[in-house]
């Protein structure tokens, strides 16, 4: 019996199984029923037999012979003399084992494994719980392995994401630093050029008051810088338009499209000039503008008028936009003026038409709302207004006028041709939603010529909420 167990152990140690195509279906059945592939289940069965034989497993002599024969067949295949130990005439157990192995004939190794598992399962009720416990342990190990892989993958992704964010942040900081350095260089050059004029003007306006002189000089320097950057932006725009027109003439294109707008001056700063950039800023410094109302943030937004020899529709300069925190005081100052408070219903768009004034050079606007944001944009209509009176119109949608323009009057007899004489309109600031319920939104734009400014307050996206608008517009000389 000891020789039989030793032979069984050697058979398991040297196990090398080759699959048989005829046994694929039985192998799949074992995988579904037991949770293990047949070779793995067979190794587990042999281990169970070796550990439990003589203890929890009490088998008959014939059953043991059959199980040992299956292990030999599963390990070596058909009976072979070269792998069978020599047995004596009186070795009854050895002869019985040889005969049991020979009796299996040409049985495949896969079939032998399957028969060993089935035989052990039928002889010992403890074998199936043993395999179920090992299957549960195997699944738990698989689960932990997958969780560890997922954790490592998430950590790697998070690390990569942080690295990319840090690189993007560093790049952004470098760009901001570069823009700030360029802005400081431009400001220093401009301030150096106008230091004498601004100091003289401040001395005249605020004699014997050093603090007010310094504040006035800072305001004039800020105005001078904004005007210079608007000129740079305008020159870039005109240069792009000239290039586009040249390309259009070369290509012979009869349906031109508007050129792309250049980046704002804050993103395309040029090196400061070594000489006076233009005569207009110096003239403004010597004769500062007198605003028709108090200018927000202490800065004036005037620019020179267009020269009289230019095209009928010259390119528009960029508008200036900023915000203020004193929204409560701003709304309280306008609540008494009914004309400065407008209730905009849900789905409506209010257009405030502000004609240019013959004494003005720049338009200013300020607005805020209660509780909710609102869309805001500025357009310029090239037309001659009969008066300088500010008017307010309300429409159901900001797209009504555009929709009317898209209609073909030739195909609609009732519509006629009343839209054909509509004056041309340029976009200065596109309509975007502004958080004007949190801050006062302010802006200014230099007159491009004679016409009417269209300040659009768009609430068409709101299906239920009405908005209360507080606004103020004025011009400066």
């Amino acid at each position: 019996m000891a020789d039989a167990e030793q032979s069984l152990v050697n058979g398991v140690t040297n196990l090398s199984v080759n699959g048989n195509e005829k046994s694929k279906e039985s192998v799949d059945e074992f995988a579904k029923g037991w949770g293990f592939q047949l070779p793995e289940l067979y190794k587990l069965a042999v281990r169970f037999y070796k550990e439990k034989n003589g203890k929890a497993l009490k088998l008959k002599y014939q059953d043991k012979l059959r199980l040992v024969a299956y292990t030999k067949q599963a390990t070596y295949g058909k009976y072979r003399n070269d792998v069978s130990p020599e047995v004596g005439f009186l070795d009854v157990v050895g002869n019985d084992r040889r005969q049991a192995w020979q009796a299996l004939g040409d049985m495949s190794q896969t079939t032998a494994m399957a028969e060993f598992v089935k035989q052990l399962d039928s002889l010992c009720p403890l074998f199936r719980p043993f395999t179920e416990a090992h299957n549960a342990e195997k699944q738990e190990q698989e689960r932990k392995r997958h969780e560890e892989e997922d954790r490592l993958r998430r950590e790697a992704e998070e690390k990569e994401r942080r690295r990319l964010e840090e690189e993007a942040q560093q790049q952004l900081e470098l760009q901001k630093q570069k823009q700030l350095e360029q802005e400081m260089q431009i400001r220093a050059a401009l301030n150096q050029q106008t230091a004498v004029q601004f100091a003289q003007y401040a001395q005249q306006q605020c004699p014997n008051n050093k603090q007010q002189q310094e504040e006035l000089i800072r305001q004039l320097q800020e105005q001078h810088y904004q005007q210079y950057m608007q000129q740079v932006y305008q020159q870039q725009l005109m240069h792009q338009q000239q290039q586009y027109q040249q390309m259009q003439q070369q290509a012979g294109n009869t349906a031109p499209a508007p050129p792309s707008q250049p980046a704002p001056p804050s993103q395309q700063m040029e090196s400061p000039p070594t000489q006076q950039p233009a005569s207009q800023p110096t003239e403004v410094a010597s004769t500062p503008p007198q605003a028709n109302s108090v200018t927000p943030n202490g800065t004036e937004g005037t620019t020179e008028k267009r020269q009289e020899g230019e095209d009928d529709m010259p390119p528009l300069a960029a508008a200036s936009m900023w915000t203020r925190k004193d929204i409560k005081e701003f709304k309280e100052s306008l609540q008494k003026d009914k004309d400065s408070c407008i209730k905009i219903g849900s789905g409506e768009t209010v257009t405030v038409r502000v004609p240019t004034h013959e004494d003005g050079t720049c338009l200013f606007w300020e607005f805020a709302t209660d509780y909710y944001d609102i869309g805001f944009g500025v357009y310029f209509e090239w037309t001659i207004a009969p008066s300088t009176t500010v008017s307010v119109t309300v429409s159901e949608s900001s797209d009504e006028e555009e929709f009317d323009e898209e209609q073909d009057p030739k195909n609609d007899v009732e519509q006629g041709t009343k839209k054909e004489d509509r004056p041309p309109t340029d976009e200065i600031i596109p309509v975007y939603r502004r958080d004007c319920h949190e801050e006062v939104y302010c802006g200014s734009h230099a007159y491009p010529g004679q016409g009417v400014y269209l300040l659009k307050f768009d609430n068409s996206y709101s299906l239920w909420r009405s908005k209360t608008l507080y606004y103020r517009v004025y011009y400066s000389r």
Side-chain angles (χ1 to χ4, degrees):
M1 185 63 64
D3 295 339
E5 293 179 0
Q6 184 64 32
S7 176
L8 181 60
V9 172
N10 293 337
V12 175
T13 303
N14 299 325
L15 182 62
S16 177
V17 181
N18 295 324
N20 191 333
E21 294 182 358
K22 296 181 180 180
S23 305
K24 285 184 179 180
E25 295 182 359
S26 62
V27 171
D28 294 338
E29 291 178 359
F30 275 96
K32 295 178 180 179
W34 293 82
F36 295 95
Q37 296 294 331
L38 181 57
E40 188 178 1
L41 180 61
Y42 172 72
K43 290 182 181 181
L44 197 61
V46 173
R47 173 185 167 188
F48 176 82
Y49 176 79
K50 182 178 69 172
E51 293 176 355
K52 305 299 182 182
N53 187 24
K55 300 176 184 178
L57 182 61
K58 303 293 184 180
L59 300 178
K60 296 180 181 179
Y61 179 69
Q62 293 296 331
D63 295 333
K64 289 184 178 182
L65 288 179
R66 192 179 304 109
L67 292 175
V68 171
Y70 286 144
T71 60
K72 292 291 185 180
Q73 191 77 7
T75 305
Y76 302 106
K78 187 178 179 180
Y79 173 79
R80 291 158 45 192
N81 289 325
D82 58 334
V83 297
S84 178
E86 295 291 338
V87 295
F89 179 75
L90 298 178
D91 188 357
V92 179
V93 175
N95 286 321
D96 290 344
R97 289 177 178 174
R98 176 179 294 182
Q99 292 176 6
W101 187 5
Q102 291 175 346
L104 297 180
D106 295 330
M107 179 183 291
S108 66
Q109 293 174 310
T110 303
T111 304
M113 292 181 187
E115 291 299 325
F116 181 88
V117 173
K118 291 178 181 179
Q119 189 72 20
L120 186 61
D121 182 39
S122 62
L123 295 175
C124 183
L126 298 178
F127 176 60
R128 186 172 287 272
F130 177 80
T131 58
E132 291 176 353
H134 279 75
N135 188 26
E137 182 181 358
K138 175 186 175 183
Q139 292 179 354
E140 181 65 18
Q141 292 176 353
E142 263 319 286
R143 185 186 64 80
K144 291 182 178 180
R145 183 179 65 83
H146 286 302
E147 288 181 353
E148 182 66 16
E149 290 177 354
D150 291 341
R151 184 184 66 82
L152 294 176
R153 178 181 55 79
R154 288 194 299 268
E155 288 181 355
E157 291 177 353
E158 181 67 17
K159 185 177 180 181
E160 180 67 14
R161 184 185 65 80
R162 290 180 180 178
R163 185 186 66 81
L164 294 176
E165 286 183 354
E166 290 177 358
E167 290 182 356
Q169 186 67 23
Q170 292 176 357
Q171 193 72 15
L172 183 61
E173 291 295 333
L174 290 176
Q175 293 178 356
K176 289 183 178 179
Q177 184 66 22
K178 184 178 179 180
Q179 292 178 1
L180 182 60
E181 292 176 356
Q182 292 177 347
E183 179 180 342
M184 292 177 63
Q185 293 175 0
I186 296 175
R187 287 181 180 273
L190 295 176
N191 294 343
Q192 183 179 3
Q193 295 166 4
T194 58
V196 177
Q197 294 95 334
F198 287 170
Q200 293 176 353
Y201 177 77
Q203 181 66 28
Q204 295 174 359
Q205 296 296 320
C206 307
N208 303 325
N209 193 328
K210 190 66 175 178
Q211 184 177 359
Q212 291 184 1
Q213 291 178 14
E214 293 176 353
E215 179 65 23
L216 181 57
I217 290 175
R218 281 196 297 269
Q219 295 177 8
L220 295 174
Q221 289 175 345
E222 178 67 23
Q223 174 189 344
H224 191 188
Y225 170 76
Q226 296 296 337
Q227 290 176 348
Y228 171 71
M229 297 310 298
Q230 286 183 359
Q231 289 176 2
V232 172
Y233 176 74
Q234 182 179 348
Q235 291 173 2
Q236 293 174 350
L237 180 60
M238 294 178 63
H239 181 65
Q240 285 192 357
Q241 289 179 340
Q242 292 175 359
Q243 289 183 338
Y244 176 78
Q245 291 175 357
Q246 292 176 359
M247 293 173 58
Q248 184 182 23
Q249 292 175 358
Q250 294 176 359
N253 186 4
T254 58
S260 59
Q261 294 288 341
S266 60
Q267 300 179 5
Q268 292 190 357
M269 293 184 178
E270 296 183 355
S271 301
T274 56
Q275 298 179 355
Q276 188 72 11
S279 60
Q280 287 82 355
T282 304
E283 294 175 2
V284 173
S286 59
T287 58
Q290 299 177 356
N292 195 37
S293 176
V294 178
T295 307
N297 288 350
T299 61
E300 295 85 354
T302 62
T303 55
E304 74 285 357
K305 291 187 178 181
R306 301 283 179 181
Q307 296 180 359
E308 290 183 358
E310 296 183 348
D311 298 335
D312 295 336
M313 295 171 56
L316 297 177
S320 300
M321 290 281 289
W322 64 93
T323 60
R324 300 197 334 243
K325 297 294 185 180
D326 58 339
I327 184 170
K328 182 178 179 181
E329 294 79 1
F330 174 76
K331 291 192 291 187
E332 288 178 353
S333 64
L334 296 180
Q335 284 178 349
K336 299 178 182 180
D337 185 4
K338 296 182 180 180
D339 295 335
S340 298
C341 300
I342 303 176
K343 185 175 182 181
I344 305 177
S346 58
E348 293 181 348
T349 297
V350 168
T351 302
V352 179
R353 298 177 58 87
V354 185
T356 56
H357 198 279
E358 59 182 4
D359 296 331
T361 60
C362 185
L363 177 72
F364 287 86
W365 60 83
E366 301 170 330
F367 67 92
T369 56
D370 288 334
Y371 308 116
Y372 304 105
D373 62 354
I374 199 166
F376 174 74
V378 180
Y379 298 81
F380 189 80
E381 187 178 274
W382 298 90
T383 184
I384 300 176
S387 67
T388 59
T389 304
V390 177
S391 61
V392 178
T393 59
V394 181
S395 60
E396 292 296 327
S397 172
S398 62
D399 297 331
E400 283 185 355
E401 295 179 355
E402 296 178 3
F403 176 77
D404 292 338
E405 289 178 354
E406 292 175 357
Q407 300 296 326
D408 187 359
K410 295 181 180 179
N411 298 331
D412 190 350
V413 178
E414 295 182 356
Q415 184 172 352
T417 59
K418 67 176 182 178
K419 294 295 181 181
E420 292 182 354
D421 296 333
R422 182 180 182 84
T425 304
D426 286 339
E427 179 183 81
I428 299 176
I429 299 177
V431 176
Y432 288 119
R433 295 173 67 172
R434 319 284 179 171
D435 294 329
C436 50
H437 60 295
E438 300 176 351
E439 297 177 310
V440 180
Y441 272 70
C442 312
S444 66
H445 186 256
Y447 285 0
Q450 189 174 8
V452 178
Y453 281 95
L454 307 179
L455 278 62
K456 290 185 176 292
F457 297 94
D458 186 4
N459 195 34
S460 60
Y461 57 87
S462 180
L463 300 178
W464 309 106
R465 294 191 179 98
S466 299
K467 311 292 175 62
T468 300
L469 173 68
Y470 304 85
Y471 79 99
R472 178 167 58 195
V473 292
Y474 51 91
Y475 67 90
S476 66
R477 297 184 179 88

